[in-house]
Every structure is written in C-alpha cells, then in structure tokens.
Amino acid sequence: MSDINPPVVKKIDYNAKALRELREETHNNELLFDYPTVYLIYKRDANGQYNVYVGETNNIRQRTKQHLIEDPKTRKDWKAFRKEKGVNMIVIGHDQFNKSLTLDIENKMMLYMSGVTSVKKLNNRRENDQNKYYTEEVRDNIFSKVWRKLRKLEGNLFPLERIIQDSALFKASPFHKLTSEQIEAKDLILERLMTSLLSEQENQLILVEGEAGSGKTVLLSSIFYLLHQYSNGNEHPEFKNLSSFLLVNHDEQLKVYNDIIKELEINSKEVVSKPTHFITTHDPKEKVDVVLVDEAHLLWTQGKQSYQGKNQLKDIMARAKVVVAIFDPKQVLKTEGYLEDTAIRELEAHAESQKNLVRLENQMRINADEETVSWIRALTDQREVWPIHQDSKGYDLRIFDDPVEMYHQIKLRNEDRDNAGLSRMVATFDWDYKQKGKPDDGDHWMVDADNLHLPWNLQLPIDEDQKHMAKKLAWSEQKQTIGEIGSTYTIQGFDLNYCGVIIGPSVKYRNGKIIFDPNESHNSNAIRQRTLDDGRKEYVSDQLLANELNVLLTRGVNGLYLYAVDEKLRNKLISEYDEL
C-alpha cells in the first residue's frame, strides 16, 4: 500500500485563535476542516508526564469550540485544559478518512497512548472499535504514517512503535481490536451479565477458559473498561453507578491494571486489588454488582497465613452478584491453588448450567504454525520430545548446548528494536531464591547452569533513567532485567518477543518420556503436600512442575530458545533439532 498518500498532521496551540489561523492556511486545510479528522489535545507537566485527550470529529471547528466553551462548565479536565498554559492540539487529516476509519484510528491511538509510559492521564469516554468497513485494509498503513509524523513533532509522547508494542500496558490495554472469537465472547459475557443483573439473579459465575496466549486478558480488560463506561449512565441509564471490581492474585499484573485505571481515570476506590483484600473488605450481606477475576487459576483453594478461608473463588462469589473468571487449569502453580479434576469439572458444570461457560480456542500469542505450537505443548501435555519441523511462519525455535551462547543471542534480540525487541531469560525454579536476605556466599541468589551464572529476578538495582517509572514497569520492561533470570512468578501473564528458557534439573528425560523430579526443584510452593478434598495429603508436584514449564514455554511471541540442564533431555532436544 505504498501508494497511499501521506497524512496531514498539524500541531497548534490549544485555543480558538490558533485554530482560526490554521483555517486560514491554504495548503491541505480542506482535509482538516471539511472532512473527518482525528485530534489530540495534551499538556506536559514539570515531571515530563502527559495528560492526553484523543478524539475524532466531522467538524473540528465545532468540536474545538465545544471543548473550549461548553465542556469546561461540567468537567474539571476540560476546565484545566482551557486555563493552563502550554496546552497543544494536533489535528490529523487524510484523503481516505471516513467516519468508520477515523473511529478506528481514534481507537488505535487510544491503544498506543495507553502503552506510553509517560502518559499519566488518558481521556476519552467511548469505545470505538469498528468491525468491517470499506477502507479498513488501509488503517494500519495510514496509522504508521501518522505516527511517524507525530514522532517528529513530540518524540517523548510518541516513541517508536516497537517500544510501545513491547510494553505491558499496551498488551493489557482495553483498546485492542478484538478478534471475531473475542468479540463473540465479549458480547455473550455482556449479555449474560446484564441479563443477570436486570433479572436480579445472583450466584452467577461466567467462566472463561483458554490456554496461555488465547487473548483472555485483553478480553477481560475490554469488558472492565466497558462496565465503567456503563456506570456513568450515559449510554445505559439502567446501569448507572454499577459497582464492578477487578481482582488478580499476581503482583506484576496488579501493577499493570493499577496503571491502566490511573491513566483512564477510573476513580472508583480500590477497584483493582488482590482477592484476599477484596474478601476482607466486603460483606456478603452487601453484594457488589460484578467482580472480574483475571488469572483465576492463581486463586487459593485452601487457607494460608494471609487468607483464612477455604476457597477464594467461593468467597468472592458470596460477595458479588456476578463473577466473571478467567481460568486456565494448566497455569495453576501452587499447592494452595491446586484443583482436583473433579473440582474443575464441578466448576465448569456450574457455569455451564447457567449457560455461562465460554471457551477461547485460538492461539494468539505465539506467532507460529500449528505444528510448532503442538510441539511446544507436547513437552508438558504428552511429556514427549517430538521431531522439530521448519516453521512455515518463521517462528524461531532453537535448541542450545551452551547456555552462555543462548544468553548472548537473547541479548542481541533485545537490542534489535527494529526487528526483534523485548527479549529475556527465564528458568524453572530449580535454584535457591529468597525474597528477604542475601545468600551466605554472595550478594545475589543465582541461577547456575553449566558456565552461565546470572542472578534471579528482582535483585539488580533499577536502571537510573527508569527509577521515576519503576512502579509503572513490569519486570521484563526494566532495562537491568536483561541481566537477570525471570521465573514464573514474574513472567506469568506477560509476553516476550524472544524467550530463552533454561530448563533446570527438575525436568529430566528418561525412557522416552519427560519426567518432573521434585527433589531437584526449589519451588516450595509446588513441591509440598496438598490436603485433598477427602482429607488425604498428597504431593501434586508432578502436575504443578509441568504447569510451571508450560508457563515459561509459552512466553515467546516470535521465538523460543531452549537449554536443558539434564544431559539426556539436552541430547534428545539437540538430536531432534539437528534433524531440521
């Protein structure tokens, strides 16, 4: 689509005089004033953080007049924009723009802005994702042309596209264009949710199942944003003041969701929290309307020191009229979250009896063909090493006999922001690590695999130029973490472009099968005994250690690099790789 004309992008001061002067220009002003446009209004504060509004309109003059005169009467954000100095406006036009395309460009601009770490507040009151329309095939091409022009005007606000696409905020943003499967799931969930609330049904569980990379988090984020739009009462008066909460039992993911609600100014108190906090601060006698649970496989199903109950999901359901839970049994990692097969079937049956069971089948994270995805899954599902084939999509699957060389290749991919991007090393939890204190023989808890010696995650000091954003960045986005090894507890729920996995000594190859040896694991959360439903105590490490490996193997979008400590497993992997 190289024959597409360049966009018209004009930056002016945010006031009526500047817009009038722009109107008086003769060059390309027809595209800005007589056709649909997309626009941004923004202010940079003393700390280099931005407050941004994104919009689209068929009449930029009339819309700007509304923002300058009418909106400040009812909204504080517009009053501040009008009164403050240094507020800028960018107007974007193109000869292909029609209503649907500008709405879609606006939505994608919101998506990108939500992934920019320097954006403190992001304003827009609608969700404008479009389905099919005449010029949809030119959207991405035009957007990239627009973005390159925006970078020249304000590089701090409009960084490289690759940098944005690598951010955890971008990947969890509610403004992603959903697939047809996700749209169908979202419509079904919203229909069931609204029907339940309007008919005053309670004890409703909407269960959304899907394996790693099936788009569960984006779906949930989109629903979460819509519910808070509904609570304003503008489009759905019957749901005004709807109370909805989002829970996640994962520190890194919790950080991302908190940043999203701050950017979007979702001001409900403690709307995002961990499950135990929600349970202890809400009375079952005063049920909230909706609770969304991301990574529900991380909920606890037996008590521990910080949680004295017996089942977090049941306790949440007792405090909400409707619960929407994202669930993948292959990502349960701890004994306190372990579910027996009968319990999983009961959970599914409960949702299905209410016609509330949703399954996502498509693999969206791993950019590989079905044979490669099946090969990766076979390592944990069938516990077998299958022959490796040449991936038709170019997915970069490599087996290494030297972990130092694998680390070198991961660093090269991480530095190549144009063609590769965010890449990190991770490992099975087979080496000592404690959150508090240092080891007796050094400053860091280390991963030692053959001649590779690197510290476990969350130990190196944060890079100087990122200290002011430390609370906003996921582990993998912090610069210094290229010198660390990630675990399931920091990388679960996140993507990497290229992922180097050290398969530690707990994973072995014996008699043609992969086996998991709890004696070699240092993951105390997975290898201790679990009290089963009938009161018996059993070790469930065989499944939990397989789940741990599954999480690590499914992080890489464009490539997966493997090194196995166990010699027999390493030799088997290399022999299959050499047959390529």
Side-chain angles (χ1 to χ4, degrees):
M1 307 295 277
S2 59
D3 56 338
I4 292 177
N5 289 328
V8 178
V9 180
K10 294 290 185 178
K11 176 182 174 181
I12 60 174
D13 293 336
Y14 175 58
N15 57 55
K17 179 183 176 183
L19 189 69
R20 189 164 55 249
E21 290 174 351
L22 178 63
R23 179 72 180 93
E24 291 170 357
E25 292 183 12
T26 57
H27 182 64
N28 279 327
N29 67 359
E30 184 183 45
L31 290 177
L32 299 181
F33 288 91
D34 297 331
Y35 288 86
T37 55
V38 177
Y39 63 96
L40 298 94
I41 300 169
Y42 64 93
K43 172 74 167 63
R44 185 181 184 184
D45 66 21
N47 298 317
Q49 299 290 291
Y50 289 89
N51 184 358
V52 182
Y53 180 88
V54 180
E56 67 79 37
T57 181
N58 289 333
N59 189 329
I60 191 64
R61 285 173 294 179
Q62 187 63 35
R63 182 59 57 84
T64 306
K65 181 180 178 181
Q66 176 187 335
H67 290 329
L68 286 169
I69 299 174
E70 299 300 325
D71 290 339
K73 296 177 181 177
T74 57
R75 282 172 45 181
K76 292 181 179 179
D77 51 351
W78 286 110
K79 187 175 182 180
F81 268 145
R82 187 182 66 180
K83 293 179 66 175
E84 291 178 358
K85 295 182 179 179
V87 180
N88 295 295
M89 181 174 184
I90 295 177
V91 186
I92 303 162
H94 195 279
D95 59 13
Q96 294 286 328
F97 275 2
N98 54 51
K99 187 65 174 179
S100 291
L101 183 54
T102 54
L103 285 170
D104 225 6
I105 293 285
E106 176 195 26
N107 201 67
K108 188 165 183 177
M109 190 67 70
M110 286 290 291
L111 169 63
Y112 270 53
M113 287 288 96
S114 65
V116 176
T117 54
S118 60
V119 173
K120 182 170 66 175
K121 292 182 180 179
L122 179 59
N123 300 288
N124 184 294
R125 298 297 187 267
R126 298 171 299 176
E127 185 215 32
N128 286 326
D129 192 16
Q130 301 294 293
N131 195 5
K132 297 287 185 181
Y133 56 93
Y134 177 62
T135 53
E136 64 173 325
E137 73 279 358
V138 302
R139 182 196 70 153
D140 291 342
N141 187 297
I142 291 175
F143 186 87
S144 290
K145 290 177 183 290
V146 167
W147 194 263
R148 286 194 290 272
K149 285 202 170 188
L150 292 173
R151 275 188 47 71
K152 293 178 181 178
L153 295 175
E154 190 97 16
N156 291 324
L157 179 57
F158 305 104
L160 289 170
E161 285 189 73
R162 169 66 76 178
I163 292 175
I164 294 174
Q165 291 165 357
D166 283 345
S167 80
L169 282 173
F170 174 87
K171 291 170 181 176
S173 170
F175 300 105
H176 280 279
K177 193 174 183 69
L178 302 182
T179 65
S180 57
E181 182 182 54
Q182 288 174 314
I183 291 171
E184 184 177 343
K186 184 178 80 169
D187 290 345
L188 175 61
I189 291 167
L190 289 172
E191 178 188 345
R192 295 297 303 134
L193 192 152
M194 297 309 172
T195 299
S196 298
L197 292 176
L198 290 173
S199 60
E200 298 184 352
Q201 300 174 24
E202 296 191 2
N203 195 35
Q204 294 291 302
L205 172 65
I206 301 175
L207 193 64
V208 183
E209 289 190 352
E211 294 190 5
S214 57
K216 302 183 298 296
T217 292
V218 167
L219 173 63
L220 194 75
S221 178
S222 174
I223 293 170
F224 176 60
Y225 179 70
L226 269 180
L227 292 181
H228 279 275
Q229 296 292 79
Y230 290 171
S231 69
N232 295 328
N234 296 329
E235 296 182 31
H236 296 272
E238 67 272 31
F239 297 116
K240 188 173 184 178
N241 300 320
L242 179 82
S243 58
S244 59
F245 296 79
L246 195 155
L247 311 180
V248 60
N249 220 3
H250 188 294
D251 290 336
E252 293 291 308
Q253 200 70 41
L254 185 67
K255 182 192 300 185
V256 171
Y257 280 127
N258 272 318
D259 288 337
I260 288 174
I261 67 168
K262 287 176 184 176
E263 277 196 359
L264 299 179
E265 293 191 296
I266 296 173
N267 295 318
S268 301
K269 192 175 181 180
E270 296 180 332
V271 69
V272 173
S273 71
K274 284 194 168 183
T276 297
H277 177 80
F278 174 83
I279 291 167
T280 56
T281 56
H282 287 83
D283 190 332
K285 295 177 182 178
E286 299 178 4
K287 292 188 176 186
V288 304
D289 293 319
V290 183
V291 171
L292 309 177
V293 185
D294 198 7
E295 313 265 14
H297 37 268
L298 299 182
L299 293 175
W300 298 329
T301 55
Q302 67 178 19
K304 57 181 292 182
Q305 187 174 1
S306 59
Y307 170 65
Q308 300 301 313
K310 294 182 179 180
N311 187 304
Q312 285 188 322
L313 181 57
K314 289 183 179 179
D315 285 344
I316 293 167
M317 291 177 64
R319 289 158 174 80
K321 297 173 184 176
V322 183
V323 173
V324 181
I326 301 293
F327 182 66
D328 177 7
K330 292 183 180 179
Q331 293 195 63
V332 176
L333 298 177
K334 299 181 179 181
T335 54
E336 59 261 30
Y338 179 79
L339 280 168
E340 297 176 50
D341 288 342
T342 52
I344 294 173
R345 287 195 292 271
E346 286 175 6
L347 195 62
E348 292 173 336
H350 177 81
E352 199 156 25
S353 68
Q354 300 172 331
K355 298 181 180 179
N356 289 343
L357 183 60
V358 179
R359 287 191 170 95
L360 297 177
E361 305 289 348
N362 294 335
Q363 166 58 242
M364 296 173 59
R365 175 183 294 136
I366 301 175
N367 187 22
D369 61 29
E370 289 186 13
E371 287 185 77
T372 297
V373 174
S374 295
W375 185 90
I376 294 170
R377 286 175 173 162
L379 296 176
T380 53
D381 292 358
Q382 282 76 37
R383 315 247 174 134
E384 296 174 350
V385 180
W386 291 355
I388 301 174
H389 79 292
Q390 193 70 45
D391 188 88
S392 63
K393 293 184 177 180
Y395 189 79
D396 192 7
L397 175 63
R398 300 193 203 180
I399 312 298
F400 289 81
D401 61 3
D402 179 1
V404 173
E405 175 58 23
M406 183 170 80
Y407 178 44
H408 174 68
Q409 292 299 321
I410 286 294
K411 287 197 293 184
L412 289 177
R413 298 293 170 273
N414 187 64
E415 293 164 4
D416 184 5
R417 286 299 178 121
D418 291 333
N419 302 301
L422 187 68
S423 305
R424 289 294 184 271
M425 295 279 286
V426 298
T428 53
F429 199 161
D430 294 347
W431 293 266
D432 270 339
Y433 177 80
K434 293 180 176 62
Q435 287 185 317
K436 296 182 179 179
K438 296 181 178 180
D440 296 333
D441 57 352
D443 290 332
H444 302 120
W445 301 99
M446 302 294 289
V447 173
D448 299 306
D450 194 12
N451 55 343
L452 179 73
H453 311 284
L454 289 175
W456 270 122
N457 44 214
L458 305 174
Q459 295 187 87
L460 296 180
I462 295 172
D463 193 89
E464 281 296 324
D465 68 353
Q466 289 188 316
K467 279 189 175 179
H468 67 289
M469 296 189 298
K471 293 181 179 180
K472 199 170 186 177
L473 297 175
W475 171 80
S476 57
E477 293 178 273
Q478 298 173 29
K479 290 181 181 178
Q480 81 282 356
T481 63
I482 189 62
E484 295 181 330
I485 302 289
S487 71
T488 50
Y489 299 114
T490 48
I491 204 64
Q492 186 175 31
F494 295 95
D495 295 349
L496 296 167
N497 289 319
Y498 291 79
C499 183
V501 181
I502 298 174
I503 304 175
S506 69
V507 188
K508 305 178 186 296
Y509 190 71
R510 300 291 185 269
N511 301 316
K513 285 284 187 179
I514 290 174
I515 62 171
F516 296 91
D517 184 355
N519 296 316
E520 296 278 11
S521 174
H522 289 248
N523 188 355
S524 60
N525 289 317
I527 59 178
R528 56 177 173 245
Q529 284 186 316
R530 159 78 190 210
T531 301
L532 301 182
D533 292 341
D534 62 6
R536 290 181 297 115
K537 292 183 179 293
E538 280 196 10
Y539 292 102
V540 293
S541 56
D542 189 64
Q543 183 59 56
L544 297 184
L545 293 180
N547 289 352
E548 177 187 12
L549 181 59
N550 170 62
V551 168
L552 299 178
L553 295 176
T554 54
R555 297 306 101 192
V557 174
N558 298 316
L560 173 65
Y561 298 169
L562 298 176
Y563 172 82
V565 170
D566 179 69
E567 184 178 6
K568 290 183 179 179
L569 177 56
R570 183 168 68 252
N571 290 340
K572 176 60 176 174
L573 289 167
I574 290 172
S575 68
E576 296 296 348
Y577 185 64
D578 288 343
E579 291 296 320
L580 266 177

